[in-house]
Amino acid sequence: MKDIRQIINEALEKIKNADVAALESVKTEYLGKNGVLTQILKSLSSRSIEDKKRIGSEANNAKSVIEVEIESKKENLKKALLDEKMREEKLDCSKSFYFPFSKGSFHPIIQTMRDISVVFKSLGFAVAEGPEIETEWYNFEALNIPESHPARDAQDTFYLEGAKALLRTHTSPGQIHVMEKHKPPIRVIVPGKVYRNEASDATHFSTFHQVEGLAVDENVTFADLKAVVSDFIRKFFRSDIGMRFRPSHFQFTEPSAEVDMQCVFCKGKGCRLCKFSGWIEILGCGMVHPNVLKSVRYDCEKYTGYAFGLGVERITMFKYGIDDIRLFYENDLRFLRQF
Ligand code: DAH
């Protein structure tokens, strides 16, 4: 009895400190063909029946105790090994690594159009798109620009050869598309690319971008237009800068106005960017002309609306102090990487 208990204690001690290989030898030493406990069981044949019963059961019990202990130790070792492996192989995503290309960014014009959209969305406007190839009806007629109007001059418009189509000269035809598809109330902006057949210089380029705005409903007034435009300027430039509405003329609005804002660079004192006037013109706007509403079969006795159009390049140049529109289209990475 005493011997067997001692054998168990000895074995358990060895198991406690064993690694995977040592466990195997402990197993052989105690439970193997010639193992300590196997020997004891074998030696029982010469003993009395009583001894056989007693010692046999003690030895078998010892065998199973040792076996269970070996198995559980094996499991623990396996788990520890896996834990260690997991710790060593963990991926550190915060580590910097070599990547031969610098991170890209949006073109400043795209960025400005996104910024403009964010502000107008916050003011309850939806965003729509119109086609860049238009007919004379959408680009001119529906907008109350008659055939004789100078804006139709072939000098300004790119006509598509052989087709009765042209590249839109402004985003205003977007107003017509929206009104054809939807009934009032309408509050929408239409950002997009426009084309003009003219020589380029520091402030003119044959391709540029505009954002058109349109709101039509019952009882829409010039005061609503003024509020929305003022809100936009405040939010877009993040400043309470001065602005003024100047009477102007557009065929598709009556009355019409142009909006100037105080130069953010010189605060109205006069500088190179505002051509020493202290003011910069940023958009054209007005109340939608009844003829425009009629062209989409809206009841112009019931509905009124306002519209505006702003030049994206202009506003971007103004925001970042850029003095040549051509920089946007030269794809010089030294310029583009600054945004
Ligand atoms: N379409 C005009 C242009 O290209 C800009 C404009 C002015 C749009 C007044 C409007 C507006 O919607 O009301 O110069």
Side-chain angles (χ1 to χ4, degrees), residues 46 78 110 187 194 217 295:
S46 56
K78 248 202 234 161
I110 297 298
R187 277 166 92 82
V194 302
D217 200 354
S295 75

XYZ file of all heavy atoms in Angstrom, residues 46 78 110 187 194 217 295:
55
model
N 2.048 -14.806 -7.755
C 2.526 -15.680 -6.687
C 1.913 -15.331 -5.332
O 2.229 -15.945 -4.326
C 4.053 -15.594 -6.599
O 4.407 -14.237 -6.418
N 0.062 21.495 -24.760
C -0.377 21.823 -26.121
C -0.932 23.244 -26.174
O -0.645 24.025 -27.072
C -1.480 20.840 -26.548
C -1.053 19.906 -27.655
C -2.310 19.399 -28.350
C -2.362 17.882 -28.408
N -3.673 17.331 -28.655
N -12.980 68.337 -57.496
C -13.909 67.311 -56.999
C -14.158 67.551 -55.505
O -15.289 67.472 -55.013
C -13.319 65.898 -57.218
C -13.141 65.630 -58.708
C -14.190 64.838 -56.570
C -14.418 65.643 -59.524
N -36.204 71.173 -54.375
C -34.996 71.818 -53.828
C -33.838 70.930 -54.236
O -33.653 69.850 -53.668
C -35.065 71.889 -52.288
C -35.842 73.060 -51.746
C -36.129 72.829 -50.286
N -35.097 73.406 -49.429
C -35.058 74.673 -49.092
N -35.961 75.515 -49.552
N -34.120 75.130 -48.286
N -18.950 71.740 -67.525
C -19.510 72.530 -68.627
C -18.387 72.934 -69.593
O -17.209 72.848 -69.241
C -20.260 73.785 -68.103
C -21.378 73.382 -67.157
C -19.310 74.752 -67.412
N -41.660 76.099 -55.452
C -42.775 75.713 -54.576
C -43.791 76.860 -54.589
O -43.554 77.883 -55.243
C -42.248 75.470 -53.152
C -43.210 74.613 -52.324
O -44.322 74.307 -52.800
O -42.828 74.262 -51.193
N -42.133 76.316 -69.859
C -41.516 75.339 -70.772
C -41.573 73.916 -70.209
O -41.429 72.948 -70.957
C -40.073 75.732 -71.096
O -39.240 75.456 -70.000
